[in-house]
Amino acid sequence: MSTTFQLDTSTSRANPTPQPMKRLTVPKLRARKQDGVTGEPLVMLTAYTARQAQLLDAHCDLLLVGDSLGQVIYGLPSTVPVTLEMMANHGAAVVRGSYHAVVCVDMPFGSYEASPEKAFESASWLLKQTGAAAVKLEGGEAMAPTVEFLIKRGIPVMGHVGLTPQAVNVLGGYAARGKNDAEAEKIVADARALDEAGAFAIVIEGVLEDIAIAVTGAVACPTIGIGASAQCDGQVLVTEDMLGMFERVPRFVKRYENVAATISAAAAAYADEVRARSFPGPEQCYRPE
């Protein structure tokens, strides 16, 4: 489905929507969890391009423009080198390619940790540049004042606890977190702090399952698991992992397709036809009428 611009006669504004409908909102997603129970789990996938957003949008409640694009798109060794400009460019593309899901953009490393004021400057710029509805930031109790600061100034925030990839240099790698009592207690405390600060949802990444279940029961807002538990209030995966774009399959990923093999086979067939001069054929060439 291609994005087309349709005129909204009520506002006289052109909106890039393939069909007229209202986009989901942060309050609606937050309200999905009532009295500790989420009837229909939240579905979230990462998206980095307009076309990817078009294909995923109808199936997702949230599209996350993750700083994982550093590795997935740019071939960087971690998410640490990702810049605000990268996030803004890809975030804008995803918003243009979607009409249904809430679009949330990751705050990259170094754009929010220094102070709540710095975080507001970065987050407000991201929302202005992209048209996204929310931002996501990593960290627990230490970041709770920043989360509260942003929310009070009109910026919805998704939290992120457990394995926090931006802190890979401190953590020493990407191993699952919560393997001792102290670490487990800190993850739960971090989630509670973010919940009390007003986060509308919290990603729980790479933790032992019983910790994810404990966090989900301890907070009022929805939790979204990745390498956590089916008992979380929702799930997220990096789309390229789920589609089988890479050879390595992390333990927490289920590969639903093998798109890498499909692309490789198509490229090989194309190369064979070019070398055999069978492509382009008569149907691909322009001739006099």
Side-chain angles (χ1 to χ4, degrees), residues 30-136:
R30 171 61 185 83
R32 191 80 65 87
K33 186 173 184 177
Q34 295 289 336
D35 299 323
V37 178
T38 298
E40 182 181 356
L42 298 172
V43 177
M44 182 162 76
L45 285 169
T46 61
Y48 314 116
T49 68
R51 182 56 178 156
Q52 191 178 41
Q54 287 176 325
L55 295 172
L56 301 176
D57 186 50
H59 310 287
C60 295
D61 301 301
L62 297 113
L63 291 175
L64 174 65
V65 187
D67 58 0
S68 50
L69 62 81
Q71 293 142 304
V72 172
I73 302 295
Y74 292 96
L76 296 170
S78 72
T79 61
V80 172
V82 172
T83 66
L84 271 172
E85 288 73 20
M86 288 179 184
M87 299 309 305
N89 289 335
H90 290 275
V94 170
V95 170
R96 286 194 295 268
S98 61
Y99 62 89
H100 167 257
V102 168
V103 178
C104 182
V105 182
D106 260 336
M107 301 269 286
F109 178 72
S111 68
Y112 61 93
E113 297 91 339
S115 68
E117 291 78 12
K118 176 63 176 177
F120 180 78
E121 178 184 347
S122 299
S124 60
W125 184 82
L126 267 181
L127 295 192
K128 287 180 180 180
Q129 294 295 313
T130 64
V135 297
K136 182 172 78 64

Side-chain angles (χ1 to χ4, degrees), residues 64-256:
L64 174 65
V65 187
D67 58 0
S68 50
L69 62 81
Q71 293 142 304
V72 172
I73 302 295
Y74 292 96
L76 296 170
S78 72
T79 61
V80 172
V82 172
T83 66
L84 271 172
E85 288 73 20
M86 288 179 184
M87 299 309 305
N89 289 335
H90 290 275
V94 170
V95 170
R96 286 194 295 268
S98 61
Y99 62 89
H100 167 257
V102 168
V103 178
C104 182
V105 182
D106 260 336
M107 301 269 286
F109 178 72
S111 68
Y112 61 93
E113 297 91 339
S115 68
E117 291 78 12
K118 176 63 176 177
F120 180 78
E121 178 184 347
S122 299
S124 60
W125 184 82
L126 267 181
L127 295 192
K128 287 180 180 180
Q129 294 295 313
T130 64
V135 297
K136 182 172 78 64
L137 54 80
E138 296 181 8
E141 288 181 295
M143 296 311 304
T146 295
V147 171
E148 184 175 8
F149 188 90
L150 294 180
I151 292 167
K152 285 183 175 179
R153 286 155 182 80
I155 299 178
V157 180
M158 178 182 292
H160 187 149
V161 300
L163 173 59
T164 48
Q166 292 178 8
V168 62
N169 292 322
V170 172
L171 298 176
Y174 295 99
R177 317 308 299 177
K179 293 184 177 180
N180 59 65
D181 290 343
E183 194 171 61
E185 290 172 4
K186 184 180 186 309
I187 292 169
V188 175
D190 283 341
R192 281 186 172 136
L194 294 175
D195 184 43
E196 292 169 3
F200 75 90
I202 300 173
V203 169
I204 309 173
E205 179 171 0
V207 303
L208 301 187
E209 184 174 22
D210 58 345
I211 299 172
I213 294 172
V215 169
T216 299
V219 299
C221 70
T223 60
I224 300 175
I226 176 169
S229 171
Q231 298 306 308
C232 292
D233 301 302
Q235 300 294 325
V236 62
L237 283 175
V238 172
T239 297
E240 283 75 3
D241 287 341
M242 180 268 288
L243 292 177
M245 286 291 287
F246 300 103
E247 293 180 5
R248 177 178 175 272
V249 183
R251 176 188 175 94
F252 57 83
V253 171
K254 179 176 180 180
R255 180 180 280 183
Y256 288 83

